[in-house]
Amino acid sequence: MDVQTATPAANLFMPHPCFSDEVNRNIAQSEIEGGVHLDELSEGAVLNVETQHHWYTIVNRSGGEALSSGHPNYCPEPVPVRIAGSTWGGSMLKLRFIGRGIHLEFCHPTYHTIATSRVVDIRISGLQAKKQVRAGQGSVGPGPRRW
């Protein structure tokens, strides 16, 4: 009996012809390095984000809204912020995504737009992810997990 089984195709990034090689390379690299799509996290999920200069604690409140703390000047205590996404330093954002090797950008109620130094590591704790979180090394389990 000749039976063929279809293997689901991976959700791989395909370069966009209207983007420069640099932009396409950055997007592909962000998929390799891994990160978190905030829309795939449960409300209340806690992210511990290490940047080159600070550790941030981000509590997901859904729809891009979050509580952020960890910066001695901008958010020493939890502050409600809107997570815009990640940027490579230009005007392009990967919306509501926090990725390794990329700058996190959020809107602060007093200081407005803030871009962090590059994200070095991301850990998740608290409530489970709604779906598998694409993060270079697989899904998120209960409790803290290093990606």
Side-chain angles (χ1 to χ4, degrees):
M1 177 189 275
D2 187 11
V3 177
Q4 289 185 325
T5 58
T7 305
N11 188 11
L12 300 175
F13 170 73
M14 297 299 293
H16 194 283
C18 295
F19 291 162
S20 70
D21 288 344
E22 181 182 7
V23 169
N24 279 319
R25 192 175 317 106
N26 285 339
I27 294 170
Q29 188 65 35
S30 75
E31 294 295 320
I32 293 166
E33 293 287 331
V36 179
H37 292 273
L38 293 178
D39 294 337
E40 295 179 353
L41 295 177
S42 298
E43 187 169 341
V46 178
L47 297 171
N48 296 299
V49 178
E50 178 186 3
T51 68
Q52 291 174 314
H53 302 294
H54 300 287
W55 274 93
Y56 292 86
T57 299
I58 298 171
V59 180
N60 187 37
R61 295 171 77 185
S62 76
E65 302 291 324
L67 290 175
S68 178
S69 61
H71 191 283
N73 297 329
Y74 302 124
C75 48
E77 300 295 324
V79 174
V81 298
R82 180 161 195 77
I83 305 289
S86 293
T87 179
W88 292 272
S91 61
M92 181 176 258
L93 278 174
K94 192 164 183 179
L95 295 175
R96 293 207 290 266
F97 177 80
I98 301 174
R100 281 195 254 150
I102 315 172
H103 303 268
L104 169 62
E105 187 172 300
F106 59 91
C107 185
H108 188 282
T110 304
Y111 299 102
H112 306 289
T113 302
I114 295 174
T116 68
S117 55
R118 290 186 187 274
V119 172
V120 175
D121 196 15
I122 306 164
R123 295 176 185 219
I124 186 169
S125 60
L127 301 176
Q128 293 283 61
K130 287 194 283 189
K131 304 178 199 171
Q132 178 175 336
V133 177
R134 296 182 312 160
Q137 296 181 14
S139 63
V140 175
R145 169 140 182 168
R146 187 173 201 129
W147 308 358

